[in-house]
Amino acid sequence: MDHTPSGSCSRALRTTIRGRPRPQQGEAPVSSDHVRETDVVLVGGGIMSATLAGLLDVVAPDWSVTVFESAPEVAGESSNAWNNAGTGHSALCELNYTPAGPDGRVDPAKAVTINEEFQVSRQFWAHLVRSGLTGSPKDFITPVPHVSFVTGEAGRAYMRNRHEALAAQPLFGGLEYTDDRAQLESWIPLMMAGRPADQVVAATRSTAGTDVDFGTLTRLLLDAAEARGVRVHRNTRVRDLTRGTDGRWTVSVQDRVTGERREVRSRFVFVGAGGGALPLLQKSGIAEIAGFGGFPVSGKFLRTRSPELVGAHQAKVYGQAAVGAPPMSVPHLDLRLVDGDQTLMFGPYAGFSPKFLKAGSLLDLPRSVRLDNLASMLGVARTNMPLTWYLIQQVLQSRGARHQALTDFVPEADPRDWELITAGQRVQVIKKDARGRGVLQFGTELVVGGEGTIAGLLGASPGASTAASAMLTLLRRCFPEHIEAWRPALTEAIPSFGRRLSDDPALLADVLADTAQVLELNR
């Protein structure tokens, strides 16, 4: 994630940041009345800001923190359970994280990294539960097997190679492989019913997988933050960011209900506004954002609430993307648990909208084009014609074509059982490579500027699942002089902090056992 030059904190942040009294047990939380000064501003009420607020409470509980969310409620965009966030990405089943080389060998490196990062999130969530996070862990995380599924001889050869590469990694212990139809009928009965008897099939399964409702988790985190004194302002849009000569940021905000405008000064700003992050970072004027652009992609899913269908598919199953399709288009049939109800989602079906947020403006994309990123964006347009053609095909796709894609997964699917829903917007990162050419990046990017006084997160997948790891990276880069002092608290909250679980089997075993027990994941 760290691709931009490391930022160091300004002189203002090298000093001890002013604290304020925290509410004692039994007292009402600090009022959300207007403030003019705060130590930290978090822009956006999603999982990234919520996670950073939680980490700051671990390492710097006396810092004052203010959150601005433009929507009436938090977790309404990318963190919403129906807006692409929540599959619990841990690379157990996502095939785009395990590419095969020309010789057929599978490189497990990216999958291992993503799984490491997901384990960091699990450790932090376990810490929060121990600390009294409201509700049961089952409100936001539940055990669900993760399955990878392919067809054809080439697919089976790839799956064997993938299993061989991953099974040797400690983080993927217990990963099973089969090409036996009887075994698959027990793993994924809904997908095997009606499948041609002569079709070659193969799959891997991990029973260590989970489903995560990041919408609920975000709300729990921010409710807890408010209870300890963090001010969370909803219906409040950040209009501008300006850095003063003293190094502090003036954050200009507007109440979307009353229209009132005001300014808040802060020593540090995190822009975790999903698709809205790029325009705000551009307004900040930091040099580090020059050359960055965004490519928005919308998505749709087919969803069913049929008890019969849901009961026959208790897993998350990922397949292979079509030839020429982008990584974000990998088809999958997911069991989801949202607000206590089980459903199935199949997709995604890609689309195009110039909006950077689901509730954004049709002018988001054109407004983001500037002289410093024009070459990058034009370069991507020239070199990504297959993606452009793929999106055109998806936009023009008929209901029948969508159903045909579903029947590749569920041969006996009845279109009357499925409804089409619109998911959230993803803004893929466009940046310059080492040769100055524009490239489209399917991942996340942490941009740090203003001598470490401002940071923003751009991009999409794996996103929410690796929020804790991403925010730890932010702490390292923006507050390097504090990290050693913070290490004991961080290690208490996240035992693997500063270490790789894949290099320490004993620690890995302890972490997996502990988080499974605390998060109630033992079956």
Side-chain angles (χ1 to χ4, degrees):
M1 274 181 207
D2 295 338
H3 298 295
T4 56
S6 177
S8 60
C9 289
S10 67
R11 182 172 300 173
L13 280 169
R14 292 193 179 102
T15 61
T16 300
I17 294 185
R18 184 191 68 260
R20 60 184 174 82
R22 305 178 73 206
Q24 300 301 309
Q25 187 172 6
E27 292 182 353
V30 175
S31 168
S32 292
D33 292 340
H34 293 172
V35 292
R36 294 185 180 277
E37 298 278 344
T38 188
D39 296 323
V40 176
V41 162
L42 306 178
V43 184
I47 188 61
M48 294 297 174
S49 290
T51 300
L52 183 53
L55 285 170
L56 288 174
D57 183 58
V58 169
V59 299
D62 291 332
W63 291 9
S64 56
V65 179
T66 302
V67 181
F68 294 114
E69 166 57 48
S70 64
E73 298 295 337
V74 299
E77 283 282 347
S78 296
S79 298
N80 182 278
W82 301 119
N83 286 348
N84 299 331
T87 59
H89 283 289
S90 51
L92 293 170
C93 60
E94 301 91 336
L95 300 180
N96 53 308
Y97 298 142
T98 48
D103 61 355
R105 293 183 181 179
V106 170
D107 183 359
K110 187 172 183 179
V112 170
T113 296
I114 289 172
N115 197 300
E116 288 268 7
E117 292 175 346
F118 183 68
Q119 299 306 328
V120 170
S121 292
R122 276 182 48 151
Q123 292 171 74
F124 186 52
W125 300 337
H127 166 75
L128 294 170
V129 171
R130 284 195 192 92
S131 301
L133 189 69
T134 303
S136 164
K138 292 187 181 298
D139 291 338
F140 66 88
I141 184 168
T142 52
V144 174
H146 283 203
V147 177
S148 302
F149 179 80
V150 295
T151 59
E153 287 292 353
R156 179 163 62 180
Y158 163 76
M159 192 64 76
R160 284 173 173 162
N161 291 339
R162 177 180 182 273
H163 178 257
E164 180 181 1
L166 289 180
Q169 301 295 324
L171 284 163
F172 293 82
L175 186 68
E176 305 170 82
Y177 166 85
T178 189
D179 53 17
D180 179 73
R181 295 184 70 91
Q183 182 70 67
L184 284 169
E185 286 169 2
S186 69
W187 285 2
I188 46 174
L190 184 66
M191 292 178 58
M192 294 302 293
R195 192 168 292 278
D198 60 349
Q199 186 179 51
V200 174
V201 291
T204 60
R205 181 181 73 157
S206 173
T207 57
T210 55
D211 175 66
V212 184
D213 179 349
F214 283 100
T216 294
L217 177 59
T218 299
R219 289 188 288 272
L220 289 173
L221 287 171
L222 289 178
D223 284 348
E226 285 189 285
R228 63 177 181 263
V230 172
R231 296 178 174 91
V232 181
H233 297 272
R234 298 162 178 82
N235 271 321
T236 306
R237 184 182 298 280
V238 175
R239 292 293 187 183
D240 205 359
L241 298 168
T242 307
R243 191 178 183 212
T245 55
D246 61 354
R248 297 188 183 187
W249 288 90
T250 296
V251 184
S252 301
V253 302
Q254 183 178 23
D255 188 304
R256 298 186 65 205
V257 176
T258 67
E260 176 190 1
R261 292 178 179 263
R262 60 192 177 91
E263 294 181 343
V264 176
R265 280 166 47 83
S266 179
R267 299 171 185 262
F268 178 79
V269 176
F270 170 62
V271 185
L278 176 61
L280 283 175
L281 290 172
Q282 289 176 326
K283 287 183 178 181
S284 75
I286 58 172
E288 290 80 0
I289 199 62
F292 278 88
F295 184 81
V297 178
S298 61
K300 296 180 184 295
F301 284 85
L302 288 173
R303 179 175 66 186
T304 182
R305 303 179 189 273
S306 164
E308 180 183 359
L309 297 179
V310 172
H313 188 81
Q314 295 287 296
K316 292 181 179 295
V317 182
Y318 273 61
Q320 288 181 301
V323 176
M328 60 191 171
S329 67
V330 174
H332 49 98
L333 181 63
D334 278 8
L335 174 69
R336 301 298 317 279
L337 182 65
V338 180
D339 297 329
D341 295 325
Q342 287 190 343
T343 61
L344 297 182
M345 287 179 64
F346 175 78
Y349 301 97
F352 177 76
S353 167
K355 295 181 178 181
F356 279 2
L357 294 167
K358 194 171 181 179
S361 166
L362 294 174
L363 298 177
D364 286 343
L365 177 58
R367 283 174 177 165
S368 74
V369 180
R370 302 189 171 207
L371 288 176
D372 63 73
N373 66 12
L374 181 59
S376 298
M377 298 186 76
L378 289 176
V380 166
R382 287 194 301 270
T383 59
N384 282 269
M385 287 307 297
L387 172 60
T388 302
W389 178 238
Y390 169 79
L391 290 175
I392 291 173
Q393 289 177 310
Q394 289 281 293
V395 170
L396 299 177
Q397 195 173 43
S398 66
R399 181 179 179 182
R402 283 193 293 268
H403 181 68
Q404 180 60 49
L406 173 61
T407 59
D408 289 341
F409 262 61
V410 185
E412 296 181 347
D414 185 333
R416 293 172 296 183
D417 292 325
W418 300 80
E419 62 175 335
L420 187 67
I421 65 170
T422 301
Q425 289 287 104
R426 295 186 182 191
V427 180
Q428 308 297 336
V429 177
I430 293 176
K431 58 182 290 189
K432 291 181 180 179
D433 62 13
R435 301 170 66 177
R437 299 173 303 183
V439 294
L440 188 63
Q441 178 174 296
F442 295 100
T444 52
E445 182 93 17
L446 181 66
V447 178
V448 175
E451 297 177 295
T453 61
I454 187 171
L457 195 70
L458 304 176
S461 183
S465 296
T466 59
S469 180
M471 294 302 96
L472 285 174
T473 298
L474 181 148
L475 293 182
R476 290 190 187 98
R477 293 183 58 189
C478 295
F479 307 98
E481 75 283 9
H482 289 300
I483 287 297
E484 285 308 309
W486 290 347
R487 186 175 295 277
L490 288 172
T491 303
E492 181 179 354
I494 303 168
S496 72
F497 176 72
R499 293 185 282 178
R500 285 174 55 86
L501 291 172
S502 55
D503 296 334
D504 192 334
L507 178 61
L508 172 61
D510 288 344
V511 163
L512 291 178
D514 179 68
T515 57
Q517 179 180 3
V518 175
L519 297 176
E520 302 178 18
L521 300 177
N522 292 315
R523 291 169 176 80

